[in-house]
Amino acid sequence: GRPAAENDGWGWLDAAHPDDREPLAHAFRHMMATRTNVGLDTRLRRADGEYRPTHVRAAPVTDSAGVVREWVGVGTDVTERRSAEQAFRDAERRVRRVLNSLFAFVSVASPDGTLVEINSPPLRAAGIQSHEALGKKLWDCFWWSHSRKTQDQIRQAIERAAAGEPSRYDAEVRIAGGGLLWVDTMVVPMYDEQGAIVSCIASAVNVSDRKRVEQALLASEARLKEFNATLEQRVRERSAEAQQRADQLRALTLELTDSESRERRRLAQILHDEFQQLVSAAKLKAGMVRGKLKDAGQITMVQQLEELLDQAISASRSLVTELSPPLLHDAGLCPALEWLVRRVHRDHGLTVHLTLGENAEPAAEQIRTIFFECARELLFNVHKHAGTSDAWLHLSQEEGLLKLSVTDRGRGFDSTTLYSPKLDGSFGLFSLRERVTMIGGLVKVASTPGEGTSIELLLPTAAAEDPSGDGAWVTAAGPPPEAGAGLAKTRVVVADDHRLFREGLIALLSQEPYLEVVGEAPDGEVAVDLARSLQPDVLIVDVSMPGLNGLQVTSAVRRDVPRTRVIGLSMHEREDMANALREAGAAAYFTKSGPTEALIATLRSFASEPVEASAN
């Protein structure tokens, strides 16, 4: 904003800041004296009166002879550039203050790993000066050099960064005094405006505390794994021991149940084999005596004696049934449950609706005994507590389980007191559950007060299998053999393990002119052998015999000697054994305590014509 005339001579100096005029004039005088270029910063006034930072450059213009003809000067306003430079310097100072206030290693290295910049904290920590580090390869610096592994790590990280790949890893570095620190190290590439890698930035943060915690955690984890392994081993040992104890307890439960069953059977067998057989033989003899008497009074006395013997047989039979139902052991669980249903209805007036599924019969005798006793106890509980006249009993094998259930629609009960011992000292369902559980089974109870109760016993089929494979078998009966024409003698074999009764029966049959006893057998095996060799018209067989029982003998004879008719005899009540014998193929069934006339009449019918004898 100055007129040109005001700039003549040294007038242009008036545009400079008063404080800058003398230095500016001195610089130009020196330039003219030495004929050299000049360049300096000053402040020049603009038209608005503001003094602006200006960079002034001047140079002499000479001719070919080297004579200065004129001077050329250029002034450039550098206000914005100075502001930017100052801002950059301020930012750089702030960054350096931040970096130098952190105990973190931050350095800049060239792509070949030469250290060109580093902040001060790691230098102080390492106890060295910057000139001892700058210019060296980063991996050769003091803090890395204690370990070949650490040197290799930083060298490989620099190589990857030079290729554009960042790296991060944990490393150990040395500090002043020889100590070591764990640092979280990161090396990344730095690019210029054109995208070329110009340097690598390496940073390392002290993570020694974290590392110690991690190592402590790893040590704890190792100890925990060792403890877990020890604990698992102990658990396996205890589990194996518990399983062994459970198996032993199950075996003991079965053995106790079997022992109780054997003792009951032994007592029942004594009554059956000794007392009942003796009384039956006595009644047989009494009948023979009665047949020979003529005096009416004597006949009446013998009949009264027979009635007393019948009462003794009935009482002993009832006691035998309570101790150990013979039907359960001779025929199986299903026929025994059918008997139980009839017995409960007769004794207690409880109508039980029985359902037997296909293949429901368990093979193991211990299981048959336990399930029978449970069914009897549950039905007795219904009679005693449910306040109803109907119950439903179901036995089946399905989905790998043997199931027995008893259901009623009576009073029900509070399930929270389900397994508590009763005040009267009995254990009820508690004892039942323990017995079933100990053989590997499960008891499921559903009861609602006022709506009824359902109790289900479940046992895996494998646990209900007969390990010996000696379960009873029956076969379907074939057609009855053809009878001889006329009144030809009927050939009979008598099979009974009680000698007195067998001899008495043979004596009775021998009095009949149309009968001929051609053999006698003390057990089931001999009976089958005699039937095969003699091929009699009739085999009279006791249902309860050692070895092969009467049902098995009947099945074998009907299969091998179809012309032989089989008559079953037993101390059991007629309805208990009738169905089982009919299924085995027997032509008729009589109780030993029954009238001998019915047996004689049936044998006479066999001699006269073919008869389809009924078990009823």
Side-chain angles (χ1 to χ4, degrees):
R2 288 169 55 86
E6 294 181 6
N7 294 325
D8 291 343
W10 291 92
W12 58 270
L13 282 175
D14 293 337
H17 191 278
D19 296 338
D20 295 342
R21 293 173 184 171
E22 181 59 32
L24 185 60
H26 177 75
F28 270 78
R29 289 189 185 100
H30 177 75
M31 174 190 69
M32 289 184 290
T34 60
R35 298 184 180 183
T36 58
N37 297 340
V38 67
L40 74 165
D41 291 333
T42 188
R43 289 171 287 182
L44 298 180
R45 187 179 60 247
R46 294 196 309 182
D48 59 5
E50 178 185 358
Y51 287 95
R52 303 278 288 184
T54 304
H55 182 69
V56 176
R57 291 175 294 169
V61 180
T62 61
D63 57 14
S64 58
V67 178
V68 175
R69 296 299 182 184
E70 59 183 349
W71 302 88
V72 178
V74 178
T76 304
D77 190 336
V78 294
T79 303
E80 285 75 13
R81 188 188 74 184
R82 291 288 179 84
S83 298
E85 289 175 351
Q86 186 60 43
F88 178 78
R89 285 191 295 270
D90 292 343
E92 184 178 16
R93 281 194 298 270
R94 287 194 297 271
V95 171
R96 285 189 177 277
R97 282 198 300 270
V98 171
L99 292 177
N100 290 330
S101 66
L102 299 174
F103 186 76
F105 176 95
V106 180
S107 65
V108 179
S110 63
D112 65 356
T114 302
L115 186 62
V116 297
E117 188 69 37
I118 186 170
N119 61 334
S120 58
L123 296 177
R124 291 195 301 269
I128 61 175
Q129 301 297 321
S130 61
H131 68 270
E132 298 179 73
L134 297 179
K136 290 185 177 180
K137 297 296 185 183
L138 189 57
W139 50 85
D140 289 332
C141 291
F142 172 81
W143 47 83
W144 305 108
S145 60
H146 74 285
S147 167
R148 173 67 65 180
K149 176 182 177 182
T150 306
Q151 287 180 309
D152 291 341
Q153 284 178 321
I154 190 64
R155 180 188 293 108
Q156 293 168 4
I158 292 292
E159 292 174 354
R160 285 194 291 270
E165 179 184 351
S167 301
R168 186 174 184 178
Y169 58 92
D170 288 346
E172 280 188 304
V173 298
R174 189 188 303 276
I175 60 176
L180 297 175
L181 294 178
W182 277 100
V183 293
D184 180 6
T185 304
M186 181 180 294
V187 181
V188 297
M190 187 166 64
Y191 300 87
D192 62 11
E193 292 79 356
Q194 288 72 38
I197 296 175
V198 295
S199 60
C200 304
I201 299 178
S203 65
V205 179
N206 183 6
V207 293
S208 298
D209 291 341
R210 189 200 75 189
K211 203 69 176 181
R212 282 191 291 269
V213 172
E214 289 178 353
Q215 291 173 342
L217 288 175
L218 289 174
S220 298
E221 184 178 358
R223 290 193 298 270
L224 183 60
K225 286 182 178 179
E226 182 179 359
F227 175 76
N228 285 340
T230 302
L231 182 61
E232 289 175 359
Q233 178 63 28
R234 291 181 179 177
V235 169
R236 285 194 294 268
E237 292 173 356
R238 295 295 186 272
S239 298
E241 182 179 349
Q243 183 60 46
Q244 183 181 11
R245 294 290 178 84
D247 292 342
Q248 291 173 346
L249 190 57
R250 179 177 182 273
L252 179 60
T253 301
L254 289 174
E255 179 60 28
L256 289 175
T257 302
D258 201 28
S259 297
E260 179 184 1
S261 177
R262 286 198 302 269
E263 185 62 20
R264 286 173 172 269
R265 289 186 66 183
R266 187 183 70 82
L267 295 175
Q269 198 73 27
I270 291 174
L271 288 173
H272 179 273
D273 292 351
E274 303 297 333
F275 180 77
Q276 288 186 9
Q277 301 299 333
L278 290 174
V279 175
S280 296
K283 183 184 177 185
L284 195 63
K285 294 291 186 180
M288 294 172 61
V289 171
R290 177 172 48 82
K292 295 181 179 181
L293 293 176
K294 304 298 183 182
D295 183 87
Q298 293 178 341
I299 292 175
T300 300
M301 292 179 62
V302 172
Q303 287 176 339
Q304 292 173 349
L305 176 61
E306 289 179 313
E307 291 175 359
L308 290 174
L309 293 174
D310 279 338
Q311 293 177 14
I313 291 174
S314 177
S316 64
R317 180 187 294 132
S318 178
L319 182 57
V320 166
T321 301
E322 291 298 325
L323 285 172
S324 177
L327 193 66
L328 176 65
H329 307 290
D330 293 335
L333 178 60
C334 294
L337 292 178
E338 293 174 343
W339 168 84
L340 179 62
V341 166
R342 293 193 300 271
R343 184 67 177 268
V344 169
H345 181 70
R346 185 191 70 184
D347 295 347
H348 306 297
L350 179 64
T351 300
V352 181
H353 307 276
L354 177 64
T355 304
L356 300 174
E358 294 184 4
N359 303 317
E361 183 70 42
E365 184 170 350
Q366 299 100 322
I367 305 303
R368 294 199 297 266
T369 301
I370 291 176
F371 269 52
F372 178 81
E373 294 297 334
C374 290
R376 179 158 59 180
E377 183 172 340
L378 291 174
L379 290 177
F380 180 74
N381 285 343
V382 173
H383 159 69
K384 186 176 180 181
H385 303 293
T388 182
S389 59
D390 288 275
W392 286 262
L393 176 61
H394 176 75
L395 178 68
S396 65
Q397 282 197 38
E398 54 187 76
E399 299 178 355
L401 290 175
L402 176 65
K403 299 180 181 180
L404 185 144
S405 63
V406 174
T407 304
D408 68 75
R409 298 172 183 169
R411 296 190 182 97
F413 56 87
D414 183 1
S415 59
T416 60
T417 62
L418 179 59
Y419 296 123
S420 301
K422 305 301 184 291
L423 295 178
D424 60 2
S426 65
F427 282 79
L429 289 176
F430 176 82
S431 175
L432 184 146
R433 183 195 66 171
E434 291 303 305
R435 279 179 287 165
V436 174
T437 301
M438 291 307 175
I439 61 173
L442 177 68
V443 177
K444 296 171 63 177
V445 179
S447 184
T448 303
E451 297 184 10
T453 301
S454 176
I455 300 178
E456 188 174 42
L457 280 57
L458 304 173
L459 184 68
T461 305
E465 292 179 354
D466 184 2
S468 64
D470 293 333
W473 52 268
V474 296
T475 59
E482 295 294 333
L487 293 177
K489 283 193 174 184
T490 300
R491 301 168 66 250
V492 180
V493 169
V494 177
D496 197 301
D497 59 315
H498 301 96
R499 182 178 58 82
L500 290 177
F501 185 85
R502 186 173 71 246
E503 292 176 351
L505 181 59
I506 291 174
L508 176 65
L509 298 179
S510 298
Q511 295 179 4
E512 300 297 328
Y514 59 89
L515 298 178
E516 178 184 6
V517 178
V518 296
E520 59 180 292
D523 55 49
E525 287 83 354
V526 174
V528 174
D529 291 340
L530 288 178
R532 289 169 178 164
S533 60
L534 299 177
Q535 298 197 3
D537 298 308
V538 179
L539 170 63
I540 301 176
V541 60
D542 184 13
V543 172
S544 300
M545 290 192 299
L548 294 177
N549 62 34
L551 294 174
Q552 293 169 310
V553 170
T554 300
S555 297
V557 170
R558 294 297 298 136
R559 183 188 66 237
D560 298 341
V561 193
R563 69 175 305 276
T564 299
R565 294 184 177 183
V566 179
I567 296 177
L569 294 180
S570 176
M571 294 304 301
H572 306 318
E573 296 177 4
R574 171 182 293 274
E575 62 269 22
D576 298 340
M577 194 57 66
N579 291 335
L581 276 170
R582 183 184 297 111
E583 291 179 1
Y589 167 70
F590 300 96
T591 61
K592 290 184 177 181
S593 60
T596 57
E597 289 81 359
L599 172 63
I600 298 300
T602 298
L603 291 171
R604 185 179 296 112
S605 69
F606 289 171
S608 61
E609 60 180 350
V611 176
E612 184 68 32
S614 170
N616 295 322

